[in-house]
Amino acid sequence: MKVLFLLPALIATALSASAMQGGEVFDRLDLEGRGLEKVKSAVAAGDTARAAVELLGYYRSRKGIALTGFDLDRVKLSDNERRMADEALDHKFFVHYGYQPSFFYGNDIDWTYWPVKDNELRWQLHRHKWFIALAKAYKTTGDGKYARAWFEQYADWMDKNPLDAALFRRKTEGAGDGTSEAAAAQEEARRAFIENMNFAWRPLETSHRLQEQLPIFAMMINSPDFTPEFLVRFLDKYQMHAEHIMRNFSVQGNHLLFEAQRLAFAGIYFPEFRGAQEWLERGIEILNEQIGKQVYADGMQFELDFGYHMAAIEIFLKALRMASANGVRDAFPPSYIATVERMIELVWNVTFPDGTQPLFGDHKATDREEMLKKFREWEQTFPKNRQIAWFASGGRRGERPPYLSHAFRTSGFYILRNGWEANSTVMVVKAGPPAFWHNQPDNGTFELWRMGRNFFPDSGCYVYSGDDKVQAEREWFRQTRVHNTLTLDGANIATDSKLICWADDGKSEVLVTSNPSCPGLTHTRTVFFVEGEFFVIVDRAEGDATGNVALHYGLCPCQPKVDLANAAIETIFADGNNIRMQLFASQPCTMEAVEGWFSPSYRSKMKRPAFSFGCSKQGAAPVEFVTVIAPGGMTGKISASLAEDRVKVSVGRRKYELAMP
Ligand code: CA
């Protein structure tokens, strides 16, 4: 979710943080705890150097606190992490997927270097993703160069990225000679300082570091290069991170969940801090409160993005596991656990049998391995759930869901399916309420997966936010008209769909949703899943609005056979898994090929065939379209016509009359 810069608030917090920095870290530790006796007596004697040595000894031998999700005895270094670690030695930092090879940040690291004005590239530099790779490389190879790289780079980061407006003032006070040039230079320096602070100390990035520094600390603490002085500095900064989050929680959404869970981890892992209990309690309190607010009754997280939905599941479960392993599971009521289980049920419904999912909103491609891993993790928490076991085992244990098609009525996801296996046909339709930044104006759109092929993948998102160039790239992929739905004059639609009908007559299923797409134009989409075999979509554009009404369809990357004059398209994959589609309308329409892109992951995109089919709507009379999408095996001429209460469809010699609900 997009977080606006809140300059005055951050400066105010920075000032209080700087006041905090004055004291020694020992003042902020509760030295009454077991094992800290020697630290306490050294502090009492005024010997903070000895206290730091004793404190390092304490942390090197500390036992009894579990860091769930991390096993110090089984650290593995993936090939990708090894590359990240090795590149980091040369100050080539892995900041974000989509920006490889990694950029060089200078021998004297420039933490404000911003080679592409994508905000994520600037923010996520401060997540220090390569630090965990350095720690793992050190732990698995024992080579001190990886550890030393972390000490040097993190110390450098601490030096150059203070959360401290007062320090900035001290540095620049009296620097000018009173000329307007000096004043302008000082103003520019002030602006740059605040800009950097906003990136480096955005609460989400701060929480990311708060979390990652726990396993890093565990892997590094026994390094001979881990000095008592560094420990004091590390802890001082760690506490500042936690307190900064306590004062600057994001307003809502996944950011707030991440921050709360990570703060709870900090509270559990470093109970020596006087504030630790408060961090833990506040973190858990927020999670308990937000799970009720952010998760709809049907189990979907309210940002309506499957990626962030799964991230929310991970957050809730991480907190639960960490609390359970450290004796505070009772902090989460049974309703919390039941909600997470509902969230997982939504996931298996919207996941195609090959582990991929619709890329609605800002979601990025998933695959079978990734999803199997997730279900196996979820099975640990829900061992009695037969469906989770089925998905976790690739169908070898447990039971498949006792239903096929399924509706998530609050969030507006509707799944039409004829099976759960690799030879099934599955359509996921999106027609929900308004949501947030990661959601797109795409109501009515769908993805159609059949026997291992997604014939209508969503365009994806490509990129998040940044300067005008980056923003324009994002906007292209967000547009309504690059989704499988209807527009007026190509404009983006409003999204607030209502479910009109969800019915099954024993042979065919029908879904009707209605969306107030534009002022004066309502889009009602009726989807028939006929005999579990093919789809008939009836679109009705209704209202006073006039202009060009058009339907849009984007196919998977392929070279289809296209007959624009008859609005007929057919894929011709050699494996025989194909679709045939044809469009019809209540008045003369034109079909044209349009620009089409498919982006499965950040900053990657490929061309794909896309089409629009439309006409001019001249008065209050509605425009109606019928789209028939049949499997390639259904041969013969396709025709369709719409009467008052039914749609007549024929494919070859097969004829259907579908009653409009
Ligand atoms: Ca999209």
Side-chain angles (χ1 to χ4, degrees):
M1 135 170 330
K2 189 168 189 170
V3 172
L4 298 173
F5 292 157
L6 297 168
L7 297 183
L10 193 56
I11 292 169
T13 314
L15 284 169
S16 71
S18 96
M20 235 159 46
Q21 231 174 352
E24 287 293 333
V25 74
F26 299 106
D27 294 343
R28 299 196 291 278
L29 295 172
D30 176 5
L31 300 177
E32 299 303 321
R34 208 160 53 135
L36 288 165
E37 298 81 3
K38 288 179 182 168
V39 182
K40 188 185 168 192
S41 67
V43 170
D47 188 350
T48 50
R50 183 161 62 88
V53 172
E54 296 295 348
L55 191 60
L56 182 60
Y58 165 83
Y59 277 115
R60 281 181 169 162
S61 60
R62 193 185 74 165
K63 300 258 181 306
I65 293 172
L67 178 56
T68 50
F70 174 74
D71 186 347
L72 189 59
D73 298 324
R74 289 185 195 178
V75 174
K76 280 191 201 130
L77 182 70
S78 70
D79 290 345
N80 195 33
E81 286 168 331
R82 176 182 293 274
R83 191 162 47 244
M84 282 166 74
D86 284 331
E87 287 181 354
L89 297 176
D90 298 329
H91 296 183
K92 288 176 193 149
F93 298 146
F94 185 101
V95 172
H96 199 284
Y97 285 102
Y99 291 106
Q100 284 71 47
S102 295
F103 294 110
F104 173 56
Y105 283 77
N107 291 324
D108 178 13
I109 301 169
D110 179 1
W111 297 97
T112 67
Y113 180 52
W114 197 5
V116 178
K117 298 289 182 291
D118 174 344
N119 291 339
E120 296 301 323
L121 196 63
R122 186 81 187 265
W123 273 315
Q124 296 202 23
L125 173 67
H126 301 285
R127 294 190 191 180
H128 302 155
K129 287 174 201 164
W130 66 94
F131 280 179
I132 190 104
L134 284 172
K136 286 181 173 183
Y138 169 63
K139 180 74 184 155
T140 53
T141 67
D143 190 334
K145 69 182 176 185
Y146 296 112
R148 287 189 293 277
W150 179 65
F151 296 123
E152 286 160 14
Q153 291 174 20
Y154 188 44
D156 188 71
W157 184 88
M158 289 191 275
D159 286 341
K160 293 175 182 167
N161 295 278
L163 177 62
D164 190 339
L167 174 72
F168 167 77
R169 271 205 303 277
R170 283 198 301 277
K171 274 184 167 173
T172 55
E173 231 161 25
D177 55 6
T179 63
S180 60
E181 286 82 2
Q186 188 167 346
E187 178 53 29
E188 171 53 24
R190 194 188 73 90
R191 188 205 60 75
F193 180 90
I194 290 172
E195 177 187 88
N196 184 62
M197 198 163 62
N198 274 302
F199 283 105
W201 289 91
R202 187 170 71 145
L204 185 64
E205 273 61 43
T206 307
S207 76
H208 192 99
R209 296 192 298 269
L210 196 69
Q211 169 163 287
E212 297 285 281
Q213 284 178 8
L214 300 183
I216 294 172
F217 183 81
M219 286 185 272
M220 293 292 196
I221 188 72
N222 284 304
S223 157
D225 295 306
F226 203 125
T227 63
E229 296 73 34
F230 185 85
L231 175 68
V232 166
R233 207 161 173 219
F234 174 90
L235 291 175
D236 182 66
K237 198 59 94 172
Y238 194 84
Q239 195 251 6
M240 187 189 288
H241 276 68
E243 292 297 333
H244 180 59
I245 293 169
M246 284 288 278
R247 289 170 174 78
N248 293 283
F249 281 110
S250 297
V251 177
Q252 61 187 4
N254 69 79
H255 285 205
L256 178 55
L257 301 182
F258 276 118
E259 290 153 16
Q261 173 251 310
R262 292 161 174 176
L263 189 68
F265 266 50
I268 290 175
Y269 195 80
F270 281 120
E272 299 84 5
F273 283 111
R274 291 185 193 280
Q277 187 62 23
E278 211 184 328
W279 304 342
L280 170 61
E281 284 170 10
R282 187 77 187 106
I284 288 179
E285 180 185 38
I286 289 172
L287 291 175
N288 276 324
E289 181 186 283
Q290 290 295 315
I291 198 169
K293 284 186 184 169
Q294 294 198 26
V295 183
Y296 284 130
D298 64 13
M300 181 70 197
Q301 198 259 358
F302 71 175
E303 290 175 74
L304 304 185
D305 175 300
F306 300 141
Y308 290 97
H309 175 82
M310 292 193 291
I313 292 174
E314 286 310 303
I315 289 167
F316 293 137
L317 288 183
K318 263 187 183 171
L320 181 68
R321 289 186 204 119
M322 185 70 169
S324 302
N326 292 283
V328 282
R329 185 184 172 103
D330 289 353
F332 296 105
S335 63
Y336 177 97
I337 299 162
T339 300
V340 177
E341 198 167 7
R342 273 203 305 282
M343 295 176 78
I344 295 171
E345 179 170 11
L346 183 131
V347 174
W348 78 56
N349 272 280
V350 301
T351 304
F352 299 120
D354 61 358
T356 60
Q357 297 174 335
L359 300 186
F360 301 144
D362 284 346
H363 192 26
K364 289 145 210 97
T366 55
D367 61 27
R368 182 189 304 281
E369 281 312 307
E370 180 182 350
M371 293 312 297
L372 278 172
K373 188 162 171 272
K374 282 192 198 300
F375 275 101
R376 283 197 293 260
E377 277 172 17
W378 297 338
E379 193 182 11
Q380 303 292 314
T381 308
F382 301 100
K384 290 184 186 153
N385 186 307
R386 305 290 292 153
Q387 279 73 52
I388 293 176
W390 195 76
F391 289 102
S393 65
R396 286 192 302 276
R397 288 182 286 108
E399 287 162 34
R400 66 171 66 72
Y403 53 80
L404 293 171
S405 296
H406 209 68
F408 293 88
R409 294 162 191 253
T410 327
S411 53
F413 292 103
Y414 304 93
I415 300 93
L416 295 156
R417 77 166 68 233
N418 65 9
W420 293 96
E421 288 82 6
N423 61 356
S424 305
T425 297
V426 186
M427 176 185 276
V428 183
V429 181
K430 178 174 184 281
F436 304 89
W437 196 74
H438 291 298
N439 189 41
Q440 296 182 348
D442 57 2
N443 274 4
T445 197
F446 63 86
E447 284 200 4
L448 170 57
W449 185 98
R450 179 175 184 271
M451 294 170 63
R453 180 163 289 131
N454 191 332
F455 286 96
F456 296 89
D458 192 89
S459 293
C461 88
Y462 189 67
V463 78
Y464 276 15
S465 68
D467 66 4
D468 290 349
K469 180 169 178 287
V470 170
Q471 214 60 44
E473 289 169 329
R474 175 175 183 78
E475 289 310 318
W476 193 92
F477 284 85
R478 274 182 67 81
Q479 300 176 95
T480 304
R481 66 195 174 94
V482 304
H483 293 86
N484 302 313
T485 190
L486 181 143
T487 62
L488 177 68
D489 292 330
N492 284 350
I493 59 171
T495 55
D496 192 8
S497 286
K498 296 281 174 286
L499 176 64
I500 309 294
C501 174
W502 170 252
D504 180 349
D505 70 2
K507 279 173 80 180
S508 300
E509 291 165 283
V510 61
L511 163 70
V512 186
T513 61
S514 175
N515 189 62
S517 294
C518 310
L521 191 92
T522 299
H523 173 207
T524 303
R525 169 161 273 191
T526 303
V527 181
F528 294 96
F529 188 23
V530 184
E531 298 178 1
E533 191 175 14
F534 72 104
F535 295 89
V536 176
I537 301 172
V538 180
D539 289 292
R540 186 178 165 94
E542 198 171 8
D544 298 334
T546 57
N548 284 306
V549 173
L551 269 187
H552 309 273
Y553 288 106
L555 288 173
C556 52
C558 66
Q559 290 185 312
K561 213 164 99 184
V562 179
D563 175 358
L564 290 178
N566 290 303
I569 300 162
E570 185 178 353
T571 66
I572 43 174
F573 288 101
D575 62 8
N577 180 17
N578 285 300
I579 54 145
R580 305 173 64 214
M581 68 184 292
Q582 195 159 355
L583 283 70
F584 306 87
S586 57
Q587 60 190 92
C589 277
T590 316
M591 178 177 261
E592 55 181 339
V594 296
E595 183 182 11
W597 292 97
F598 166 56
S599 172
S601 57
Y602 205 80
R603 297 251 305 171
S604 84
K605 60 180 179 182
M606 54 194 94
K607 275 199 176 291
R608 52 110 153 240
F611 303 90
S612 75
F613 179 71
C615 63
S616 173
K617 179 175 178 296
Q618 296 294 351
V623 173
E624 290 174 312
F625 302 97
V626 181
T627 305
V628 178
I629 306 174
M634 283 181 75
T635 55
K637 183 178 154 60
I638 299 176
S639 65
S641 63
L642 203 54
E644 190 77 341
D645 60 344
R646 56 197 53 237
V647 52
K648 291 184 181 177
V649 175
S650 65
V651 183
R653 274 177 298 185
R654 297 166 67 173
K655 298 192 187 320
Y656 304 84
E657 285 203 12
L658 308 169
M660 292 291 286

